[in-house]
């Protein structure tokens, strides 16, 4: 029950630079529009796309930095991902329920699948992939998987482990990157995104969801597993799991950053997703196994679908949206 992706955004100086740069870009864009209008010539699509691209690039590169405290926390464990009896044992056993959940949900949504490789042709992005614990079983089901993680040591571990299997080596690629950093190159690229034990570590959850939407194809699926913010989750997830039983390394979680399912659903729905499933999950530390349950009071899994293709926004709408997002992105500095 822990993820490995954490974001922290720019300090005051960087935020001021971003605001200045964005304002200048927008002013330059507006000036071009006015100039073209006054000369009765149409604005070229190339110039519009260039302006939008410039703003997107400014936006993404200014807000891709990863919290150094979280990086150090997980770097100490980067070589232990594939120790099934070690610190990541609970994540290994979680595969027993999360992999079938992803597989069966996708198969129920499509009649086109291949025996033996049921997810063949499906492009999956595994956000916060760590050492590849979820990427590999999805690759074995036939999916084409891209795993991203901001910690290079995690990616090295993942790359080394997949190299033992020639089939996986062809189906999986790993990148040392944050989600924001790949938005530019991966707009509406993936059929599926999995973010397992990740969202409780991000600094700006809504920005994270917006980025997921941008790299996901219309009607694509988003799978999230995370921890509810309840008294019970504090007792079991932190006191028992971290401090008493040592199932999870102490300091892995901050209860304040746990996400209630109601909040996650609200953010998903307000950003163009339709929530299809919310299932409670239970970990038994004595047997080391996971099972599904009705209650979402501790761990839970969500499946949401991005809305279908709508009318493409105009360049001015796209710029307005980016400008309106900017203050919220620089506000999430607490970790």
């Amino acid at each position: 029950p822990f993820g490995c992706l954490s974001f922290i955004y720019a300090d005051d100086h960087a935020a001021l630079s971003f605001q200045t740069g964005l304002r200048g870009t927008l002013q330059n864009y507006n000036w071009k529009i006015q100039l073209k209008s006054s000369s009765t010539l149409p604005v070229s699509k190339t110039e519009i796309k260039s302006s939008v691209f410039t703003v997107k690039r400014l936006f993404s590169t200014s807000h891709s930095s990863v919290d150094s405290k979280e990086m150090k926390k997980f770097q100490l464990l980067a070589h232990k991902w594939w120790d099934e009896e070690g610190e990541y044992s609970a994540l290994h056993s979680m595969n027993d329920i999360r992999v079938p959940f992803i597989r069966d949900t996708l198969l129920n949504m499509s009649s086109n699948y291949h025996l033996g490789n049921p997810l063949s042709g499906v492009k999956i992005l595994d956000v916060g992939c760590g050492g590849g614990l979820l990427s590999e079983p999805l690759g074995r089901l036939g999916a084409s998987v891209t795993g991203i993680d901001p910690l290079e040591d995690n990616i090295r571990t993942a790359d080394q482990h997949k190299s033992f299997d020639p089939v996986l080596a062809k189906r999986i690629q790993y990148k040392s990157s944050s989600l924001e950093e790949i938005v530019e190159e991966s707009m509406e690229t993936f059929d599926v995104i999995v973010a397992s034990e990740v969202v409780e570590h991000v600094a700006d959850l809504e920005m994270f969801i917006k980025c997921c939407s941008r790299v996901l194809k219309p009607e694509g699926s988003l799978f999230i597993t995370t921890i509810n913010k309840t008294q019970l989750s504090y007792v079991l997830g932190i006191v028992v799991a971290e401090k008493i039983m040592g199932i999870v390394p102490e300091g892995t979680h901050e209860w304040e950053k746990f996400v209630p399912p109601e909040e996650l659903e609200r953010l998903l729905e307000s950003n163009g997703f339709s929530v299809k499933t919310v299932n409670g999950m239970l970990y038994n530390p004595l047997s080391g196994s996971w099972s599904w349950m009705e209650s979402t009071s501790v761990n839970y899994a969500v499946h949401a679908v991005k809305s279908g293709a709508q009318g493409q926004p105009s360049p001015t709408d796209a710029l307005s949206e980016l400008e309106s997002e900017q203050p919220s992105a620089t506000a999430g500095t607490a970790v």
Side-chain angles (χ1 to χ4, degrees), residues 106-108 110-120 122:
L106 294 176
L107 291 183
N108 287 334
S110 172
S111 58
N112 182 25
Y113 61 91
H114 305 268
L115 292 176
N117 292 311
L119 299 186
S120 178
V122 179

Side-chain angles (χ1 to χ4, degrees), residues 66-135:
V66 178
D67 178 21
S68 59
K69 185 175 71 172
E70 291 280 349
M71 292 280 278
K72 291 177 182 177
K73 181 192 303 180
F74 291 105
Q75 189 167 18
L76 296 174
L77 301 172
H79 64 291
K80 297 185 176 182
W81 279 102
W82 290 97
D83 179 4
E84 296 188 23
E85 305 299 324
E87 284 86 344
Y88 292 116
S89 60
L91 281 184
H92 280 274
S93 60
M94 188 187 285
N95 277 352
D96 293 340
I97 65 170
R98 63 179 174 177
V99 173
F101 174 59
I102 295 168
R103 178 199 63 201
D104 296 346
T105 299
L106 294 176
L107 291 183
N108 287 334
M109 296 172 66
S110 172
S111 58
N112 182 25
Y113 61 91
H114 305 268
L115 292 176
N117 292 311
L119 299 186
S120 178
V122 179
K123 296 185 67 174
I124 298 179
L125 176 66
D126 184 2
V127 183
C129 64
L133 269 58
L134 183 53
S135 294

Side-chain angles (χ1 to χ4, degrees), residues 123-323:
K123 296 185 67 174
I124 298 179
L125 176 66
D126 184 2
V127 183
C129 64
L133 269 58
L134 183 53
S135 294
E136 288 202 6
L138 293 175
R140 289 193 182 92
L141 290 171
S144 173
V145 183
T146 299
I148 61 171
D149 196 285
L151 194 60
E152 289 185 7
D153 286 353
N154 285 345
I155 296 301
R156 275 193 288 270
T157 297
D159 266 326
Q160 182 182 25
H161 197 269
K162 80 164 183 181
S163 68
F164 297 131
D165 187 333
V167 174
L168 291 182
K170 294 178 181 178
R171 293 180 183 170
I172 302 174
Q173 64 169 331
Y174 294 112
K175 295 180 180 180
S176 178
S177 172
S178 68
L179 177 59
E180 292 97 328
E181 289 170 337
I182 70 160
V183 168
E184 249 175 51
E185 64 194 56
S186 305
M187 294 289 283
E188 297 190 348
T189 296
F190 297 97
D191 303 296
V192 176
I193 295 176
V194 293
S196 190
E197 309 308 292
V198 168
V199 299
E200 67 270 23
H201 295 282
V202 302
D204 189 328
L205 182 54
E206 183 162 22
M207 181 56 59
F208 180 86
I209 291 171
K210 285 181 183 293
C211 289
C212 285
S213 177
R214 286 173 180 160
V215 301
L216 194 62
K217 293 178 182 177
E219 300 183 359
S221 286
L222 172 61
F223 294 92
I224 293 173
T225 69
T226 188
I227 311 176
N228 199 347
K229 189 177 182 181
T230 61
Q231 291 181 337
L232 186 58
S233 72
Y234 177 79
V235 172
L236 295 180
I238 294 181
V239 177
V240 175
E242 293 188 16
K243 300 180 183 298
I244 297 177
M245 299 191 69
I247 300 169
V248 180
E250 188 168 352
T252 296
H253 291 119
E254 296 177 39
W255 183 80
E256 292 77 9
K257 296 181 71 175
F258 287 178
V259 185
E262 300 80 13
E263 179 185 348
L264 184 56
E265 287 187 66
R266 178 184 61 79
L267 288 172
L268 287 167
E269 296 282 357
S270 64
N271 284 283
F273 286 92
S274 174
V275 177
K276 302 297 183 182
T277 307
V278 181
N279 288 336
M281 303 165 65
L282 177 66
Y283 180 68
N284 184 334
L286 299 180
S287 64
S289 62
W290 290 85
S291 58
W292 296 111
M293 62 184 298
E294 284 190 24
S295 173
T296 59
S297 57
V298 185
N299 295 79
Y300 64 97
V302 172
H303 170 232
V305 175
K306 179 181 173 179
S307 61
Q310 304 292 327
Q312 294 297 317
S314 68
T316 51
D317 289 339
L319 288 168
S320 298
E321 180 186 354
L322 287 169
E323 187 178 20

